[in-house]
Amino acid sequence: MEKVIESLQKKEHALLESPTGTGKTLCLLCATLAWRQHEKEKLMVRFSSEEDLSQRLPIIVYASRTHSQLSQVIKELKATQYKPRTTILGSRNQMCVHPRVKNLRGNAQNMMCKNLVSDHTCSFYNNVNELKSGLKTYLPPVVDIEDLTNAKGGCACPFYLAKELQTIADVVFMPYNYVIDPFIRQTLTMDLSKAIVIF
């Protein structure tokens, strides 16, 4: 944990290794969250509004190979004292709940979704727009794909809800390819150059 904090303080890259089963995941995440909380407390002296604080604190991006690995990390995070506002990003293929769209694949799914959204005929997407002003009240702070799927009684689009939550999240969970692939990376609403990326 000491090396994690040191690299955060110095704003340096860190390459840390530890054997399987030693608690690396939770150690990295909790150390980073503790550091971020400490920075937030220091900033609260100078800035009173939550918006000012959130703009000055780096977002934490936690990337892993699979969604099942991310789900495990989120499960472990839920069991800690830390309750940061989170979101988890995924593809339409993994997150779509629309009965006509969810069974399609690839470009057909993307095009059908985009058409329904642009025509304002996707009730699931329209419900996300209704939730925008109260995102913090409708969802627990630490969310998994299942939490997003069940938002507003299962009537809100998890794909767009996750994207919307990026704007207020302290931690964003995502597959590696969201960080590595420049095409996917440009769809993110965050500046990764100002983020703490745990890979």
Side-chain angles (χ1 to χ4, degrees):
M1 283 178 76
E2 181 183 317
K3 292 293 182 188
V4 175
I5 301 293
E6 182 182 327
S7 68
L8 292 168
Q9 287 294 98
K10 293 180 176 180
K11 297 182 180 184
E12 294 178 341
H13 298 284
L15 179 61
L16 308 169
E17 69 175 335
S18 182
T20 302
T22 57
K24 289 184 298 286
T25 298
L26 221 44
C27 179
L28 286 169
L29 196 51
C30 288
T32 305
L33 287 167
W35 176 84
R36 191 177 190 276
Q37 181 61 38
H38 179 72
E39 291 300 305
K40 182 176 183 177
E41 289 167 6
K42 288 188 333 192
L43 287 171
M44 287 172 75
V45 175
R46 294 181 18 218
F47 305 99
S48 59
S49 85
E50 193 69 32
E51 189 176 321
D52 282 340
L53 285 172
S54 64
Q55 289 176 356
R56 286 169 169 72
L57 289 168
I59 193 165
I60 300 167
V61 173
Y62 190 97
S64 189
R65 191 173 54 83
T66 66
H67 271 94
S68 61
Q69 290 171 333
L70 291 172
S71 291
Q72 182 61 35
V73 174
I74 293 167
K75 181 180 174 185
E76 291 177 24
L77 177 60
K78 285 181 176 182
T80 70
Q81 69 180 18
Y82 297 102
K83 301 297 178 227
R85 178 71 48 197
T86 70
T87 191
I88 180 168
L89 302 180
S91 67
R92 285 180 179 88
N93 187 40
Q94 293 161 314
M95 300 178 96
C96 182
V97 293
H98 192 287
R100 287 190 0 226
V101 180
K102 70 180 178 181
N103 294 321
L104 299 172
R105 292 292 171 253
N107 199 40
Q109 185 181 52
N110 290 337
M111 293 310 296
M112 170 79 84
C113 174
K114 288 176 182 179
N115 288 338
L116 291 171
V117 166
S118 67
D119 294 342
H120 303 287
T121 55
C122 178
S123 61
F124 298 98
Y125 175 77
N126 295 341
N127 285 333
V128 170
N129 284 330
E130 290 177 23
L131 287 175
K132 277 184 186 178
S133 62
L135 284 174
K136 290 182 181 180
T137 57
Y138 288 109
L139 291 165
V142 181
V143 295
D144 198 351
I145 290 177
E146 289 76 28
D147 298 313
L148 297 175
T149 302
N150 296 325
K152 198 171 181 191
C155 295
C157 174
F159 177 76
Y160 282 104
L161 187 56
K163 290 174 82 81
E164 198 61 44
L165 283 169
Q166 285 180 84
T167 62
I168 61 168
D170 303 315
V171 181
V172 178
F173 294 96
M174 64 182 71
Y176 287 146
N177 60 328
Y178 280 60
V179 176
I180 297 169
D181 186 314
F183 179 73
I184 298 173
R185 191 172 56 240
Q186 73 183 8
T187 67
L188 302 174
T189 60
M190 70 189 86
D191 182 359
L192 288 178
S193 69
K194 296 178 182 169
I196 298 167
V197 180
I198 301 173
F199 220 62

